[in-house]
Amino acid sequence: MPEMRQSSLVVVANRLPIDDSQAPDGACEWRRSPGGLVSALHPLLRHTPATWVGWAGGTGPAPALPDVDGVRMHTVALTHEDLRDHYEGFANATLWPLYHDAVEQPQHHRRWWEAYQRVNQRFAEATAEVTEQGGMVWVQDYHLQLVPGQLRALRPDLRIGFFLHVPFPPPELFMQLPRRAELLRGMLGADLVGFQRVQAAHNFAQLVTRVLDLPATDRRIGIDDRVVRIGAFPVSIDTAEMAALAARPDVAARARRLRQDLGNPRQVILSVDRMDYTKGIEQRLKAYSELLASGDVKVRDTVLVQVAMPSRERVGQYQILRERIEREVGRINGEFGRVGEPAIHYLTQPFDRAELAALYRVADVMAVTPLRDGMNLVAKEYVAARVDDTGALLLSEFAGTAAELSQAYLVNPHDLEGLKQGICAALRASPADITQRMRAMRAHLSEHDIRAWARSYLHALDEHGALVGRLTSTDTDPDDARVPRPATPDAEQAARQTSG
């Protein structure tokens, strides 16, 4: 049995950030999808000794995996029943729809909750084994909301952080959960609970007071003999990395070839989503179809490229969604397309980073219109990739990103007429207006990048700052060590007013 290695920084997430298959030489690579947790944390962890605790993707015994970019991979085993009842069940058929405004009706089954408890305990025990005395643990997202409390019971010496990447619902929705008190107590096992938005932190504080009868403000919660801090820490991307990738000559050349392959249309609209009912794909397709029918958009001039990568394909709701979307794409192409000129180019295969950057460069309009999203890093990646300050970002008001990128063309995706007007406004905007908006958004992202996010969160978690300095000092100037404060309600309110 190999010797157990321990780290002072441990990231705990449902999935390990690696490809499902290894190369012939046994090497593993980071799994980089558009947006998401891996894209956010990868630039940070490759610069510091760390361990990532997570599930490798299959069922059965946990495989032993090599280090990736110096990050140790510690696998947690899941059985077929765990996968069905914890991941597909409680996490993605109970919590996910509830946290996204109940776009689909959440389901409740007692065996799902039992599996959620069991799997969270397994993650907590694995984390306790690999973390050094007095180390720091950063637990990620809704799959593992019980882990902070379970881990504190096992290792009270640790500094424990929890960060929720998805929205946290208002009290009237969260109160529907039969196990609401247990979930809140699990999160309160952390020293710091982070959210994407100030409103989410406010929702959490309200619920803790209402359900657990604990003293709470929007910044601090008292429990037992501890104080748990809460706050908003909007996640970001490696802005410089995406800009450098998009500026590469081979990526620029690939973008030109892609445009030729699309028939050299006057304008290209791009959407890149996971196949999920929260992403607003059906509403977007309906709006585009009506614009084609009215003649406001013509196939010879404009083409829509819809990338919809399969997600949670074993979950029934997702299978039905994919069938509906594919039928609608077929209908639109059959009604409005021509030989060699489809109205919609529909793609479901994954793209590597260079290909994705090329697609971003091709897109005159990037349509990011989720019905609800915690942040949405695809919108930020698009802005970072527009190195010539061109391109229009059409953005849902209900994406967390909208509070930061207020210069985007903001739309309500539930309002079909408003969505159509937003698409037309982005397509018809003047070059001067587009450039002014894009420059402002790019300036914001250059300052509020992934390292700023990590410094903000980890500095708040690590009171003495020793680990944070090692983690975030790479490629930064001494003056860059200043830590931005978590977002305040006043700051978010100002952003909303600007967006209006």
Side-chain angles (χ1 to χ4, degrees), residues 34 258-259 262 265 267-273 284-285 288 302-309 343-347 351 355-369 376 378-379 381-383 385-386 391-395 423 426-427:
L258 283 170
R259 198 169 196 102
L262 293 171
Q267 291 182 299
V268 175
I269 305 172
L270 172 67
S271 287
V272 178
D273 306 282
R284 194 184 307 139
L285 291 176
Y288 192 66
T302 306
V303 64
L304 171 63
V305 178
Q306 174 64 66
V307 178
M309 286 163 290
I344 300 172
H345 290 257
Y346 175 69
L347 306 167
F351 291 88
E355 188 79 356
L356 190 61
L359 279 170
Y360 289 153
R361 289 200 57 159
V362 168
D364 302 289
V365 175
M366 183 80 200
V368 181
T369 58
N376 197 294
V378 169
E381 289 185 340
Y382 175 72
V383 170
R386 301 305 297 193
L393 175 61
L394 183 74
L395 183 60
I423 293 171
L427 288 171

Side-chain angles (χ1 to χ4, degrees), residues 44 48 50 88 100 110 162 211 232 251 277 327 419 426-427 488:
L44 304 171
T48 188
E88 297 170 354
H100 289 84
R110 281 174 290 184
F162 178 80
V211 176
V251 171
Y277 50 79
R327 281 198 304 268
L419 181 55
L427 288 171
T488 64

Side-chain angles (χ1 to χ4, degrees), residues 83-408:
L83 179 61
R84 180 192 65 202
D85 295 339
H86 162 262
Y87 179 73
E88 297 170 354
F90 194 81
N92 288 312
T94 301
L95 293 181
W96 178 267
L98 190 77
Y99 283 17
H100 289 84
D101 292 352
V103 173
E104 291 283 341
Q105 184 64 34
Q107 302 176 42
H108 305 280
H109 298 286
R110 281 174 290 184
R111 75 171 189 275
W112 289 1
W113 168 250
E114 293 165 359
Y116 189 80
Q117 289 177 295
R118 180 175 68 247
V119 171
N120 274 242
Q121 184 66 37
R122 200 175 303 155
F123 272 81
E125 291 171 355
T127 304
E129 291 179 355
V130 300
T131 311
E132 290 179 355
Q133 185 73 20
M136 180 184 293
V137 175
W138 198 358
V139 184
Q140 308 287 332
D141 226 359
Y142 65 102
H143 314 85
L144 304 174
Q145 286 178 231
L146 298 179
V147 168
Q150 293 167 334
L151 183 59
R152 181 165 296 281
L154 294 169
R155 294 285 306 274
D157 60 290
L158 301 178
R159 299 290 299 173
I160 303 170
F162 178 80
F163 187 81
L164 189 68
H165 292 259
V166 299
F168 191 79
E172 57 268 24
L173 282 179
F174 191 87
M175 291 293 288
Q176 297 177 20
L177 283 170
R179 299 294 184 171
R180 59 202 184 192
E182 290 94 327
L183 283 169
L184 293 174
R185 288 194 189 98
M187 296 169 71
L188 289 172
D191 296 288
L192 175 65
V193 180
F195 301 92
Q196 301 278 23
R197 301 285 299 272
V198 168
Q199 184 61 50
H202 176 70
N203 292 344
F204 183 68
Q206 280 191 311
L207 279 159
V208 165
T209 301
R210 182 171 175 180
V211 176
L212 302 180
D213 195 26
L214 294 174
T217 70
D218 287 0
R219 290 183 178 274
R220 290 176 175 81
I221 297 168
I223 179 169
D224 300 327
D225 58 348
R226 300 187 299 116
V227 173
V228 178
R229 287 166 295 154
I230 61 176
F233 303 84
V235 72
S236 194
I237 63 168
D238 190 335
T239 308
E241 182 262 353
M242 175 53 74
L245 181 62
R248 275 175 19 189
D250 62 310
V251 171
R254 177 59 181 152
R256 290 191 293 271
R257 289 194 300 272
L258 283 170
R259 198 169 196 102
Q260 291 173 359
D261 292 343
L262 293 171
N264 284 315
R266 188 171 63 87
Q267 291 182 299
V268 175
I269 305 172
L270 172 67
S271 287
V272 178
D273 306 282
R274 281 189 310 102
M275 183 69 74
D276 195 288
Y277 50 79
T278 67
K279 299 300 182 181
I281 301 173
E282 291 181 287
Q283 290 81 355
R284 194 184 307 139
L285 291 176
K286 183 169 179 59
Y288 192 66
S289 172
E290 291 192 5
L291 289 173
L292 290 169
S294 65
D296 289 293
V297 172
K298 296 179 172 58
V299 171
R300 288 191 179 276
D301 296 331
T302 306
V303 64
L304 171 63
V305 178
Q306 174 64 66
V307 178
M309 286 163 290
S311 173
R312 301 166 189 157
E313 293 184 274
R314 288 162 45 106
V315 179
Q317 293 166 320
Y318 290 79
Q319 296 169 0
I320 295 170
L321 174 68
R322 180 169 181 170
E323 291 170 3
R324 288 203 308 258
I325 287 175
E326 290 178 349
R327 281 198 304 268
E328 182 64 5
V329 169
R331 182 195 69 79
I332 294 171
N333 279 335
E335 185 171 348
F336 300 106
R338 299 179 176 86
V339 175
E341 290 183 337
I344 300 172
H345 290 257
Y346 175 69
L347 306 167
T348 59
Q349 70 266 34
F351 291 88
D352 63 28
R353 300 287 289 169
E355 188 79 356
L356 190 61
L359 279 170
Y360 289 153
R361 289 200 57 159
V362 168
D364 302 289
V365 175
M366 183 80 200
V368 181
T369 58
L371 304 178
R372 193 76 166 92
D373 224 337
M375 181 54 59
N376 197 294
L377 299 183
V378 169
K380 293 188 175 185
E381 289 185 340
Y382 175 72
V383 170
R386 301 305 297 193
V387 292
D388 58 356
D389 291 331
T390 63
L393 175 61
L394 183 74
L395 183 60
S396 167
E397 297 171 355
F398 303 107
T401 323
E404 296 183 81
L405 304 183
S406 57
Q407 295 83 10

